[in-house]
Amino acid sequence: MPSDPSKADLPDAARGEEALIAEFWAPLSIGFDGAFDLKDDCALLAPPPGTELVVTTDAVIAGVHFFPDEDPGAVAWKALAVNVSDLIAKGAAPFAYLMSIALPQMPDHAWLEKFTSGLRAAQERFGCRLAGGDTDRTPGPLSVSITAFGTVPAGSMVRRATARPGDLVYVSGSIGDAALGLALRRDPAMRERLGLDDADCRMLAGKFSRPQPPVALAQDVRACASAAMDISDGLIKDFERLCRTAGAGGRIEVPRVPLSDAARAVLAAGGTSLADLVTGGEDYQVLATIPPEHCAEFERRAEQSGTRVTRIGVITAREDGIVATDADGGAIAFDKTGWDHFRAAV
Amino acid sequence: MPSDPSKADLPDAARGEEALIAEFWAPLSIGFDGAFDLKDDCALLAPPPGTELVVTTDAVIAGVHFFPDEDPGAVAWKALAVNVSDLIAKGAAPFAYLMSIALPQMPDHAWLEKFTSGLRAAQERFGCRLAGGDTDRTPGPLSVSITAFGTVPAGSMVRRATARPGDLVYVSGSIGDAALGLALRRDPAMRERLGLDDADCRMLAGKFSRPQPPVALAQDVRACASAAMDISDGLIKDFERLCRTAGAGGRIEVPRVPLSDAARAVLAAGGTSLADLVTGGEDYQVLATIPPEHCAEFERRAEQSGTRVTRIGVITAREDGIVATDADGGAIAFDKTGWDHFRAAV
């Protein structure tokens, strides 16, 4: 405690956590009043009257969710994107997040600049600001645990359990690109072996390292969907979860699953299988069930908001089971239905 | 994806994360509707009209915040308690929390039972329920990152920056016990060397491993305090932060700082110093500034709610600096003012 009052307001580089907060984290909170410049114990969230708060938390850990040598900006982007993905699937508009970060050592200035640039780009893309957090040292790997907040008009959060037989099943974007991006990262020789071009490889790698959840779709999901969730652990596994939670059966017609041109090229070159693409995980797209009478409106709205949506199946009665079918309508058996973060690693 | 519908609802022990959630985490969410039995992507928080949400996040990491061989129930208790401590200091009533846990391996049943018992005891003590979370595997140490939610009547969150010259400074409970508990844990021979009795050692150890933030004090802080924060990194360091954030000076009269009988015994036996006690950290008590006209009411209310509060100093003008004084009124210089989680470890 300095007894010299002239020192009381000097920033002190030796303070570690506090200097980090003031220089790197606090600028990310500008414009969010309830963050109090990250100088208080807590943040204050005052959702507008008539709204409710939707909250989620997901962590990304080096060596589990991203490669230890990943670009720090991509780590930050992904940490926020995987949380925003959950909010979008619930029809919620993201507005704030908390970040609990565990650092193996005090990072250097260049690392911090890259990390915060990635975080800033993500929060601008997704429409939310840093409201608070916690910075710790860890003897383990870098870990970034984010809690994200969105709002919905009261009573309008889109649940997972509310799918009904007869509802049609849609996905946003394309499926399997991130799994291919991961495969390319693990096996760079794949590129030459399959004759993939630069642009395709960059796109696939980007889908794994900087996922782009379809933020503009949130309002369309809220307007039209009977149920929704995000696809993080593989389309098949997550579809199975949605059906089970709803106490329903369901069918996905695998040939209808939307693929990017790059994924089609890899598939054509024999570098992957449809099964790998629909069970690969890390898509961060929306899986939604739409009652038949709202399908036209959902498609129209999605087109207006610039988000690709594709009908891939239907919710059925529980006794019909949960199945994925091939072009002939036959059931496909999978060795694994998806990714288990608890068991797998990058 | 099972094509046999009879299997669709069977729990599958091989699922790892999902089985863990259903068996161990979901029971902790019972009674909190917005948790949806932990079967949805997000939780829904619907604060009553006229209230605002106070949120905080803090992580505890093995080898940094607790000993790797700590009792799992104590780890869970501490993970929640350190967050609730922040809410109480803001005058907020805790009601829900999210838990993001990273496990080095799939824990066995006995570990999980101890962990969830500790968490259940803590949430019952603090009046909150599990609303959601995230479970991951990590190549690093066990880490538990909690985000806790409390409510306050709109506009009544107690800030850190709003202390004013002339306000009197109070702390709850006693200071330095956790630091002694940590010292005893590091150096068990200290006990015999200083001739400490069983009950004292147990109390001190418990203050470190299962902190007891004064939950009943939240409403008194809200009713009377001009500013408040929790004491987590050492009384002196946190007081300095409070004064700086408020742009004020302040004085703590160290001989007034409340000590437990056990701490007095250790002090008398030469096992610690007053400086160690007021800079040791991990107290999880409340540091509050009370305008003089509200002091009598604050003391009366605290007595009614069964919480010890002690006046230890005063907020002064910025130009008077931030000082700690001894019995003669002389300024005390400290080698370190507190604990920096980023630099220190257990």
Side-chain angles (χ1 to χ4, degrees):
Chain A
M1 178 178 279
S3 53
D4 176 356
S6 68
K7 287 191 182 154
D9 290 304
L10 285 182
D12 176 358
R15 301 200 146 235
E17 182 180 349
E18 284 178 61
L20 196 60
I21 293 168
E23 189 172 354
F24 292 96
W25 305 154
L28 296 167
S29 74
I30 291 171
F32 189 76
D33 291 344
F36 307 119
D37 302 325
L38 307 190
K39 286 182 182 166
D40 212 309
D41 307 71
C42 293
L44 184 68
L45 306 182
T51 65
E52 291 172 338
L53 271 178
V54 178
V55 303
T56 187
T57 185
D58 261 317
V60 295
I61 302 170
V64 181
H65 306 86
F66 60 89
F67 288 90
D69 63 351
E70 181 62 278
D71 169 61
V75 173
W77 176 287
K78 188 164 185 169
L80 186 53
V82 302
N83 280 282
V84 164
S85 178
D86 283 321
L87 297 181
I88 293 169
K90 305 288 101 182
F95 76 102
Y97 67 99
L98 306 176
M99 175 175 68
S100 178
I101 186 168
L103 295 156
Q105 67 271 316
M106 176 58 89
D108 64 26
H109 211 270
W111 190 97
L112 285 162
E113 291 216 322
K114 284 182 194 161
F115 186 88
T116 48
S117 291
L119 203 48
R120 180 176 297 282
Q123 69 179 41
E124 285 174 1
R125 171 83 180 79
F126 302 134
C128 52
R129 291 200 174 96
L130 182 62
D134 181 36
T135 304
D136 284 298
R137 190 184 66 78
T138 176
L142 173 65
S143 148
V144 186
S145 179
I146 281 181
T147 298
F149 301 92
T151 53
V152 288
S156 70
M157 177 180 132
V158 181
R159 297 281 315 281
R160 196 190 273 193
T162 41
R164 291 292 164 259
D167 293 347
L168 296 162
V169 177
Y170 282 77
V171 289
S172 65
S174 55
I175 297 297
D177 296 325
L180 291 177
L182 173 58
L184 273 165
R185 183 82 180 251
R186 282 178 171 151
D187 174 17
M190 189 176 153
R191 178 180 171 168
E192 202 170 338
R193 206 165 62 236
L194 302 176
L196 304 177
D197 72 21
D198 269 12
D200 283 353
C201 288
R202 256 201 313 277
M203 187 281 280
L204 296 172
K207 287 289 188 80
F208 176 72
S209 59
R210 291 189 192 242
Q212 300 276 354
V215 68
L217 197 65
Q219 55 188 340
D220 310 329
V221 169
R222 200 170 65 234
C224 302
S226 56
M229 65 184 292
D230 81 327
I231 308 170
S232 56
D233 295 338
L235 169 62
I236 299 299
K237 181 170 182 170
D238 286 329
F239 179 64
E240 196 180 12
R241 283 175 173 155
L242 185 140
C243 293
R244 286 185 183 205
T245 309
R251 184 174 68 246
I252 285 181
E253 298 168 46
V254 173
R256 285 184 173 271
V257 173
L259 303 180
S260 66
D261 291 344
R264 288 191 188 284
V266 178
L267 197 59
T272 190
S273 67
L274 259 181
D276 284 345
L277 297 176
V278 297
T279 62
E282 301 281 307
D283 296 298
Y284 301 107
Q285 294 294 340
V286 171
L287 175 67
T289 63
I290 315 285
E293 65 272 24
H294 293 145
C295 287
E297 188 192 350
F298 182 65
E299 293 182 16
R300 184 182 54 73
R301 278 174 169 265
E303 189 174 358
Q304 279 175 357
S305 69
T307 311
R308 177 184 184 183
V309 296
T310 309
R311 182 166 59 80
I312 61 165
V314 66
I315 299 297
T316 59
R318 182 178 185 157
E319 53 272 22
D320 295 327
I322 307 168
V323 292
T325 57
D326 60 20
D328 303 322
I332 303 174
F334 295 98
D335 294 337
K336 65 170 184 68
T337 57
W339 172 273
D340 184 340
H341 277 132
F342 197 81
R343 301 177 162 269
V346 290
Chain B
M1 179 178 277
S3 53
D4 175 357
S6 68
K7 287 192 182 152
D9 290 304
L10 286 182
D12 177 357
R15 300 199 148 237
E17 181 180 350
E18 284 178 61
L20 196 60
I21 292 168
E23 189 172 353
F24 292 97
W25 305 155
L28 297 167
S29 75
I30 291 172
F32 189 77
D33 291 345
F36 307 119
D37 302 324
L38 308 191
K39 285 181 181 167
D40 212 309
D41 307 72
C42 294
L44 184 67
L45 307 183
T51 65
E52 292 172 337
L53 273 177
V54 178
V55 304
T56 186
T57 186
D58 260 316
V60 295
I61 302 170
V64 181
H65 305 85
F66 59 89
F67 287 90
D69 63 352
E70 181 62 279
D71 170 61
V75 173
W77 177 286
K78 188 164 184 170
L80 186 54
V82 303
N83 280 282
V84 164
S85 179
D86 283 321
L87 296 180
I88 293 169
K90 305 288 100 182
F95 76 102
Y97 66 100
L98 306 176
M99 176 175 67
S100 179
I101 185 167
L103 294 156
Q105 66 272 316
M106 176 59 88
D108 64 26
H109 211 271
W111 190 95
L112 285 163
E113 291 215 323
K114 284 182 195 162
F115 186 88
T116 48
S117 292
L119 203 48
R120 180 177 296 282
Q123 68 179 42
E124 284 173 3
R125 171 84 179 81
F126 302 134
C128 52
R129 291 199 176 96
L130 182 62
D134 180 37
T135 304
D136 284 298
R137 192 185 65 79
T138 177
L142 173 66
S143 149
V144 187
S145 180
I146 280 181
T147 298
F149 301 92
T151 52
V152 288
S156 70
M157 178 180 131
V158 181
R159 298 281 315 280
R160 195 189 274 191
T162 40
R164 292 291 166 259
D167 293 346
L168 295 163
V169 177
Y170 283 77
V171 289
S172 65
S174 55
I175 297 297
D177 296 325
L180 291 178
L182 173 58
L184 272 165
R185 183 82 180 250
R186 283 178 171 149
D187 175 17
M190 190 174 151
R191 179 180 170 168
E192 202 170 337
R193 205 164 63 238
L194 302 176
L196 304 177
D197 72 22
D198 269 11
D200 283 353
C201 289
R202 257 200 313 277
M203 186 281 280
L204 296 172
K207 288 289 188 80
F208 176 71
S209 58
R210 292 190 191 241
Q212 300 276 354
V215 68
L217 197 65
Q219 54 189 340
D220 310 328
V221 168
R222 201 169 65 234
C224 302
S226 56
M229 66 184 292
D230 81 326
I231 308 170
S232 55
D233 295 338
L235 170 62
I236 299 299
K237 182 171 182 171
D238 286 329
F239 179 64
E240 194 180 14
R241 284 173 172 157
L242 184 141
C243 293
R244 286 185 183 204
T245 309
R251 184 173 69 247
I252 285 181
E253 298 168 47
V254 173
R256 285 184 172 271
V257 173
L259 303 180
S260 66
D261 291 343
R264 288 191 190 285
V266 179
L267 197 61
T272 190
S273 66
L274 259 181
D276 285 345
L277 298 176
V278 296
T279 62
E282 302 282 306
D283 296 297
Y284 300 108
Q285 295 294 341
V286 171
L287 175 68
T289 64
I290 314 285
E293 65 273 23
H294 294 144
C295 286
E297 188 191 349
F298 182 64
E299 292 182 15
R300 184 183 54 75
R301 278 174 168 265
E303 190 173 357
Q304 278 174 358
S305 69
T307 311
R308 176 183 185 184
V309 295
T310 308
R311 181 166 58 81
I312 60 165
V314 65
I315 299 298
T316 60
R318 182 177 184 157
E319 53 272 22
D320 295 327
I322 306 167
V323 291
T325 57
D326 61 19
D328 304 322
I332 302 175
F334 295 98
D335 294 336
K336 66 172 183 67
T337 57
W339 172 271
D340 184 340
H341 277 131
F342 197 81
R343 303 179 161 268
V346 288

